[in-house]
Amino acid sequence: KNEVEQSPQNLTAQEGEFITINCSYSVGISALHWLQQHPGGGIVSLFMLSSGKKKHGRLIATINIQEKHSSLHITASHPRDSAVYICAVVPGNQFYFGTGTSLTVIP
Amino acid sequence: DAGITQSPRHKVTETGTPVTLRCHQTENHRYMYWYRQDPGHGLRLIHYSYGVKDTDKGEVSDGYSVSRSKTEDFLLTLESATSSQTSVYFCAISERPVLNTEAFFGQGTRLTVV
């Protein structure tokens, strides 16, 4: 049983489309992180959230603590956004990771 | 980019041999972590360190040991490698516990046990 569920598992979009990736979790958390894993394997941190909403460039992350749900939105998607997006929750002081959403943006 | 380097990046080894993976950081961060990434699973914590000589087990620690004798280096050892330990291993660092700070990840080490 995974405490963190992401949907969809795979997503293909046309360049310019608005994209939403969802993360649901079943435990109480202190924080939630969104990570991006590039095709070459490297992982970078995109956002850390404990409430509300954060925006960085074309990326927006929201969290609803009561509903145990977070979304990552990408506006005006571009082929360089193609990557695996990983949701990670922090119930105590360690990460629990989702299995990731693989995004492909077609030109 | 955070200064975090994993070595080797790729390794093929035989069942039963010992293997050591190294994580080196130049950020002076207190916390260091070893994860493994397998298809169908999220990243899973093997061991972590909260200071020099201070380490603790994660959820998949069986068959692995770690050492941290210096702030900058965190070593992961497979005493006797098994095929089930074929995986991609990631090191991560953080300045504080990840409940209130971001983590930085290495590029990963692809280990194949034959």
Side-chain angles (χ1 to χ4, degrees):
Chain A
K1 175 181 173 295
N2 196 354
E3 289 87 355
V4 185
E5 298 289 342
Q6 288 186 235
S7 63
Q9 286 190 318
N10 297 284
L11 180 57
T12 301
Q14 292 287 332
E15 183 174 357
E17 285 186 6
F18 181 85
I19 288 163
T20 296
I21 298 169
N22 297 298
C23 176
S24 296
Y25 51 92
S26 57
V27 295
I29 65 170
S30 305
L32 182 145
H33 296 240
W34 281 101
L35 310 168
Q36 180 190 53
Q37 185 168 23
H38 295 289
I43 299 172
V44 297
S45 178
L46 297 175
F47 294 103
M48 184 181 72
L49 297 162
S50 55
S51 65
K53 175 179 174 178
K54 287 190 176 180
K55 184 176 188 293
H56 185 258
R58 294 180 295 106
L59 301 179
I60 303 166
T62 65
I63 188 169
N64 186 317
I65 294 291
Q66 288 72 29
E67 295 186 4
K68 293 186 167 61
H69 182 268
S70 175
S71 293
L72 177 68
H73 306 286
I74 304 175
T75 62
S77 60
H78 189 277
R80 66 175 173 266
D81 297 325
S82 297
V84 175
Y85 293 83
I86 301 170
C87 172
V89 301
V90 187
N93 59 3
Q94 297 297 342
F95 283 131
Y96 285 91
F97 295 86
T99 54
T101 294
S102 179
L103 171 65
T104 302
V105 182
I106 299 170
Chain B
D1 289 344
I4 177 169
T5 306
Q6 290 185 229
S7 59
R9 293 291 314 280
H10 302 271
K11 187 170 181 66
V12 180
T13 192
E14 293 186 349
T15 299
T17 60
V19 176
T20 295
L21 308 183
R22 181 184 184 226
C23 179
H24 179 77
Q25 61 144 330
T26 58
E27 304 296 322
N28 201 36
H29 283 352
R30 179 179 175 188
Y31 293 82
M32 300 185 75
Y33 314 84
W34 277 108
Y35 297 97
R36 60 178 290 174
Q37 186 177 43
D38 303 290
H41 294 274
L43 287 148
R44 291 179 292 175
L45 182 65
I46 304 171
H47 282 279
Y48 68 100
S49 171
Y50 47 95
V52 173
K53 299 194 191 306
D54 291 324
T55 65
D56 206 349
K57 296 179 179 180
E59 63 176 302
V60 291
S61 61
D62 286 349
Y64 302 95
S65 62
V66 290
S67 66
R68 191 169 178 199
S69 59
K70 300 184 289 186
T71 298
E72 58 265 36
D73 288 324
F74 192 33
L75 304 181
L76 177 71
T77 297
L78 291 67
E79 300 292 346
S80 177
T82 68
S83 59
S84 64
Q85 294 175 312
T86 292
S87 188
V88 181
Y89 291 85
F90 285 93
C91 175
I93 62 174
S94 65
E95 195 170 8
R96 298 182 297 278
V98 292
L99 66 94
N100 58 17
T101 192
E102 65 180 324
F104 300 93
F105 289 80
Q107 292 296 304
T109 295
R110 184 172 296 274
L111 176 67
T112 303
V113 183
V114 298

